[in-house]
Amino acid sequence: MSSAEKTIITYGTFDLFHIGHLNLLRRLKEMAGRVIVAVSTDEFNAQKGKRTLIPFEQRVAIVEAIRYVDLVIPEVSWEQKIDDVKTYGVDIFAIGKDWEGKFDFLKEYCEVVYLERTHDISTTELKRSLKHFLSIPREDVLRALDVLDALRRELE
Ligand code: C2G
């Protein structure tokens, strides 16, 4: 079977969508003609112990808009993967290497692939940077802007 005839599925939260997510979805499209993405619901993320900034409906809308993605379904539990593989005729299950080995039980039903993650970007890191920036006192930001304005005037 050519890759164009294959169906691939992945699962994830895709909060604060970033280049790491995009690189993964692009890789999936290189591996199969049909790409299905199961996006974790807010309720399931609570079970995963993950707090998301972007609500489920918006995370779905963003992933659906990605040209590499053909179908988005909700991820509501850890147990749905085998049924999904059967329901959608999935040939390949793929996910980032941070999950290496965790889904080998699916090898009975489809190919299982763990893909390299994109380095130096993660939702956790983005949240940390945002939190740091927002913690800078307003007057410090304004003072820095004044210094920048003064420098710009000197350089004109
Ligand atoms: N990812 C990546 N590179 C990054 C960050 C994320 O390749 N820098 C990949 C992850 O490996 C995962 C996908 O992008 O395959 C989605 O990442 P998350 O939204 O963090 O997904 P996660 O919360 O790990 O959910 O049942 C499986 C879980 O739902 C996976």
Side-chain angles (χ1 to χ4, degrees):
M1 179 193 297
S2 74
S3 63
E5 297 165 296
K6 289 183 179 176
T7 293
I8 193 165
I9 195 167
T10 195
Y11 295 73
T13 305
F14 297 98
D15 192 23
L16 295 179
F17 195 86
H18 56 66
I19 191 66
H21 298 138
L22 186 64
N23 288 340
L24 177 95
L25 297 178
R26 180 189 302 111
R27 295 276 307 285
L28 299 187
K29 198 60 174 176
E30 290 164 2
M31 296 165 71
R34 185 166 74 136
V35 176
I36 302 174
V37 182
V39 174
S40 314
T41 60
D42 295 335
E43 296 73 16
F44 180 53
N45 272 313
Q47 280 185 51
K48 289 188 331 190
K50 265 193 155 181
R51 276 182 53 216
T52 51
L53 284 178
I54 307 298
F56 172 68
E57 295 70 21
Q58 293 180 27
R59 290 184 284 113
V60 166
I62 290 168
V63 173
E64 275 178 343
I66 304 294
R67 77 162 77 110
Y68 309 120
V69 177
D70 299 289
L71 174 66
V72 174
I73 62 173
E75 180 184 28
V76 298
S77 77
W78 291 113
E79 292 76 29
Q80 73 181 76
K81 293 184 175 67
I82 294 174
D83 286 344
D84 290 346
V85 168
K86 292 175 183 171
T87 305
Y88 296 101
V90 170
D91 302 291
I92 311 169
F93 164 88
I95 199 164
K97 267 195 173 15
D98 43 320
W99 291 93
E100 182 101 43
K102 296 288 191 309
F103 300 114
D104 288 355
F105 65 87
L106 288 170
K107 285 180 179 173
E108 202 178 321
Y109 305 95
C110 65
E111 192 183 340
V112 174
V113 179
Y114 298 101
L115 298 167
E116 280 305 324
R117 282 170 60 92
T118 301
H119 301 299
D120 306 325
I121 184 90
S122 73
T123 304
T124 309
E125 194 50 46
L126 287 173
K127 284 181 185 176
R128 193 176 296 133
S129 307
L130 191 59
K131 195 172 173 189
H132 170 70
F133 178 75
L134 295 174
S135 70
I136 298 171
R138 189 172 181 280
E139 55 274 11
D140 289 1
V141 175
L142 294 176
R143 194 175 307 121
L145 290 173
D146 288 344
V147 169
L148 283 173
D149 280 344
L151 279 173
R152 190 180 296 118
R153 280 194 296 276
E154 265 186 49
L155 293 172
E156 279 168 357

